[in-house]
Amino acid sequence: MYTSYGSYRKKEVISSFHPAVYYLILLIVCCFAFIINNQVIPADLMESRNLATAQEMVREGNYLVPTMNGELRLEKPPLPTWIAAGVENLIPGNLIVQRCMAGLSATLMVIFLYLTGTYLTRNRNIGLLTALILATCFNVVLMGRTATWDIYCHSFMTGAIYFFLVAFGERGKQWGNFLAAGLFLGLSFLSKGPVSFYALLLPFLISYILVLHPSLRGKKAPFFCMILIAVIVSCWWMVYILIFHSDMAIAIAQKESTSWINHNVRPWYYYWQFPAEAGIWALFLVTSIVYYFTYKKQEYRREYTFSTLWLILSLILLSLIPEKKTRYLLPILVPAALSVAFYIYYQIKCSLSKGEKFLFRLNAFVIAIILLGIPVALYLMFFQQGEISLLMLSITGVLSWGLALFIFLSIYNRGGIQVKGVFVAIILTMIMIEAVCLIPIGDMFINEERHSIRMLRDNEQVAGLPFFYNPEEGLLRMELVYEANKTIRPIDLSKDAVIYDNLPFVLVSGMPIDSLMAGKRVEIEWIDLFDNNWRKVGHKRHNPELVREVAIIRHLEVQTEPVEE
């Protein structure tokens, strides 16, 4: 346990409102952060791969051995895919609901961090600051709005960390909290393997041991049961795959381990821009780290040390892995939100020196300038192109400039800096962006000429027929597989016997099907030309690989002349 932890834990929880008010605030902000307007951005390649796998689970009825377009997909454990398959069973083909499930996972992550911050400090106000900061960080908002699986493993791990803290922090064996921690550890592993264990749990444990000094005294039995539960929940699916698909499982394990070394390799300093993942809190994040090392007399100094060390260790560990992507920085935002919350809390509670006032004003001033620029950017990028209405531009302008004015008045107030006012304005800024500004951003993806292959889902002509594509054209885009909700396998069109053995079938091709089938004894029943691009023809991001002809290839019916008597 902590040093002097017993007396520390007896402190009454500091709270400005009824506990239900804190949860209500968090739910409202999370609703805007992860749910409102989550449909405006179309599904990208990663989402298409994930949801195509879930659709195939439902279509084939094979839940234990995931496949994607007919090929085994065992690279990642399947818990998020099972969740997506459950949604697909209940509400087929609904991207909004699929994204809402990721949003619910992100909301769970925010609530667990609120509980963690509150438990560490016995102060609900710090817990609320921490959770609101996390809910409005750019990378968290992005992952909570898309059907990607990273948010699930880190959400479950945040829950495991909270139960772990309570289990060690309270007296007695704490069986319930240890078992809950073990369950959430297992769910995290079952979502994306050891990713969150390395990026979130390991730096937490090192910081926790070095700063808060936990003790296993009287808790060994439930602690080891926690580990046992975590191992069972984590590994049962892997054991099943090893038994029934051992060769493929071993090959994929080798592939995944080498990809961390050979795939997307970046230099160790690649993550120097990590504050950018916090979005609107980027400058505050840098300031919170500088503030920790500069001003050393704080009410929650030990907890501040814990969160800052956790943040730094997480960054170091992620930097050691050769494979680097910016989305891998998602777990670093958990301790980062704690650190920023401590900084904001001190600015609210303490009398600020000239240096502290300058730093805080600088942070707030930058955000106010950005708010002033949002309507100008919308005017230049969208209004002049006729992509948003004058009403939308006016609403955005009034809200943005109103919030900017409020921030200016808060930092240049005769009564001193109104830190609470600035914080509220930042949260409202994110709500405005999510509720209003995402609409014109979504208009960028409106293509009136878009003719999606999704229409084949309701086409009775192709029902029950196998789908094929020509592998000589390259790999088939997974967006087409997801939108069509079909397994589209490769077929060797150079071999007539292969063609005839599979008739009738549906051919999806980027080349003219008439020329591909020239000289073959087949009948071509034209379906349509589909363009799955969200960008118009002529746009630099219009992808020809998403334009495909579709036709049914049937046996050629030979007409015979009647025999004259």
Side-chain angles (χ1 to χ4, degrees):
M1 295 189 293
Y2 301 171
T3 306
S4 303
Y5 193 72
S7 59
Y8 174 73
R9 292 259 55 91
K10 292 178 182 178
K11 290 183 179 179
E12 183 179 353
V13 177
I14 299 172
S15 178
S16 299
F17 311 103
H18 187 279
V21 175
Y22 291 89
Y23 290 106
L24 179 61
I25 293 171
L26 289 177
L27 290 176
I28 291 173
V29 173
C30 286
C31 183
F32 280 97
F34 310 125
I35 307 299
I36 301 296
N37 288 328
N38 75 352
Q39 81 287 353
V40 297
I41 307 298
D44 60 12
L45 178 59
M46 185 179 299
E47 283 186 283
S48 297
R49 291 168 62 88
N50 293 338
L51 296 180
T53 305
Q55 288 176 342
E56 205 157 320
M57 272 186 176
V58 176
R59 195 168 62 246
E60 304 295 333
N62 187 357
Y63 291 87
L64 287 177
V65 187
T67 57
M68 183 176 67
N69 201 28
E71 302 291 333
L72 287 176
R73 194 189 188 200
L74 307 178
E75 288 84 356
K76 302 292 186 294
L79 178 56
T81 312
W82 288 336
I83 294 172
V87 172
E88 180 68 18
N89 259 314
L90 296 174
I91 313 173
N94 195 310
L95 179 62
I96 295 176
V97 179
Q98 292 287 8
R99 287 175 169 174
C100 283
M101 297 307 295
L104 290 176
S105 181
T107 301
L108 190 66
M109 183 181 184
V110 168
I111 290 175
F112 274 129
L113 189 60
Y114 160 73
L115 294 171
T116 299
T118 300
Y119 189 79
L120 279 171
T121 61
R122 308 301 290 173
N123 190 328
R124 290 189 185 277
N125 298 323
I126 294 179
L128 181 64
L129 290 173
T130 304
L132 290 176
I133 291 166
L134 182 69
T136 48
C137 283
F138 167 73
N139 204 332
V140 178
V141 172
L142 179 65
M143 291 299 176
R145 284 179 162 266
T146 53
T148 53
W149 299 164
D150 297 71
I151 195 68
Y152 287 93
C153 69
H154 299 309
S155 176
F156 290 132
M157 184 57 72
T158 307
I161 287 172
Y162 166 69
F163 288 115
F164 187 88
L165 279 172
V166 177
F168 273 101
E170 298 297 323
R171 294 181 177 179
K173 293 186 178 296
Q174 295 296 313
W175 278 97
N177 285 309
F178 273 115
L179 294 181
L183 174 63
F184 275 83
L185 287 170
L187 294 177
S188 176
F189 193 95
L190 202 55
S191 296
K192 209 170 181 184
V195 171
S196 200
F197 283 74
Y198 179 81
L200 189 56
L201 180 64
L202 180 57
F204 160 79
L205 288 175
I206 296 172
S207 307
Y208 185 50
I209 292 169
L210 291 179
V211 179
L212 302 178
H213 313 299
S215 172
L216 267 176
R217 184 177 301 172
K219 299 177 184 289
K220 291 182 181 178
F223 175 78
F224 287 111
C225 282
M226 175 193 75
I227 295 175
L228 180 62
I229 291 293
V231 170
I232 292 172
V233 176
S234 298
C235 297
W236 73 266
W237 178 78
M238 295 176 60
V239 171
Y240 174 86
I241 294 299
L242 280 171
I243 292 173
F244 293 98
H245 299 275
S246 57
D247 292 341
M248 181 63 70
I250 293 171
I252 287 175
Q254 293 173 342
K255 172 188 170 185
E256 286 294 294
S257 59
T258 55
S259 70
W260 280 44
I261 301 174
N262 302 319
H263 187 60
N264 289 314
V265 174
R266 301 286 191 273
W268 64 268
Y269 54 82
Y270 179 75
Y271 286 144
W272 69 269
Q273 80 282 22
F274 75 95
E277 297 306 304
I280 201 168
W281 298 107
L283 195 53
F284 278 100
L285 175 53
V286 175
T287 304
S288 71
I289 298 172
V290 173
Y291 188 82
Y292 169 78
F293 289 104
T294 307
Y295 299 90
K296 299 184 178 181
K297 293 182 179 180
Q298 292 110 7
E299 181 182 354
Y300 296 100
R301 180 66 183 178
R302 184 169 48 179
E303 290 76 14
Y304 201 173
T305 301
F306 163 68
S307 64
T308 304
L309 182 59
W310 183 3
L311 165 63
I312 293 171
L313 287 173
S314 182
L315 178 63
I316 292 172
L317 290 173
L318 287 169
S319 299
L320 292 176
I321 302 298
E323 182 185 17
K324 295 179 178 67
K325 296 178 182 178
T326 53
R327 65 183 176 88
Y328 291 171
L329 288 170
L330 175 62
I332 208 173
L333 295 175
V334 174
L338 266 171
S339 291
V340 175
F342 282 124
Y343 169 71
I344 297 291
Y345 179 77
Y346 296 138
Q347 306 311 295
I348 294 173
K349 297 291 289 185
C350 303
S351 297
L352 304 183
S353 66
K354 287 184 178 180
E356 290 173 307
K357 288 179 180 179
F358 172 79
L359 277 176
F360 189 84
R361 283 193 175 115
L362 177 62
N363 281 272
F365 186 83
V366 170
I367 293 173
I369 293 299
I370 292 172
L371 282 166
L372 290 176
I374 287 177
V376 178
L378 290 178
Y379 174 81
L380 296 174
M381 296 175 61
F382 299 103
F383 183 76
Q384 286 190 328
Q385 312 301 323
E387 294 181 350
I388 63 171
S389 66
L390 179 60
L391 177 62
M392 179 64 68
L393 181 64
S394 301
I395 292 173
T396 307
V398 170
L399 292 174
S400 296
W401 289 343
L403 287 167
L405 178 61
F406 185 75
I407 291 176
F408 282 130
L409 292 176
S410 296
I411 59 177
Y412 296 109
N413 190 289
R414 289 184 179 180
I417 297 177
Q418 302 298 311
V419 179
K420 288 183 181 179
V422 173
F423 183 82
V424 170
I426 294 173
I427 300 301
L428 292 177
T429 296
M430 289 303 297
I431 289 176
M432 178 201 69
I433 291 171
E434 292 146 0
V436 180
C437 295
L438 280 180
I439 296 174
I441 292 174
D443 290 341
M444 295 170 58
F445 299 97
I446 292 179
N447 178 7
E448 296 85 355
E449 301 171 0
R450 188 173 188 266
H451 190 53
S452 176
I453 200 171
R454 189 184 188 92
M455 297 173 66
L456 292 179
R457 296 186 181 198
D458 302 319
N459 190 319
E460 295 182 358
Q461 291 177 279
V462 301
L465 295 178
F467 277 62
F468 293 100
Y469 74 96
N470 182 12
E472 292 185 5
E473 300 175 18
L475 290 176
L476 187 71
R477 294 285 299 194
M478 202 52 58
E479 294 97 319
L480 299 172
V481 176
Y482 162 64
E483 292 285 355
N485 193 11
K486 305 288 184 182
T487 300
I488 309 176
R489 300 177 183 274
I491 186 171
D492 188 350
L493 297 179
S494 65
K495 297 180 180 178
D496 291 358
V498 173
I499 294 174
Y500 301 144
D501 287 344
N502 286 283
L503 293 174
F505 61 84
V506 178
L507 182 61
V508 179
S509 175
M511 299 174 62
I513 292 178
D514 287 341
S515 63
L516 288 174
M517 293 292 108
K520 315 290 186 184
R521 292 181 291 106
V522 296
E523 177 184 342
I524 301 173
E525 184 179 331
W526 175 260
I527 298 295
D528 214 334
L529 174 66
F530 295 100
D531 183 355
N532 253 69
N533 279 280
W534 291 95
R535 306 284 189 170
K536 296 179 181 179
V537 176
H539 192 281
K540 63 180 180 180
R541 293 189 180 179
H542 183 274
N543 190 346
E545 293 182 0
L546 295 176
V547 180
R548 287 293 182 268
E549 291 185 7
V550 177
I552 300 175
I553 312 300
R554 301 186 185 276
H555 288 280
L556 180 64
E557 296 184 5
V558 180
Q559 300 293 329
T560 58
E561 295 290 335
V563 180
E564 295 184 2
E565 294 182 3

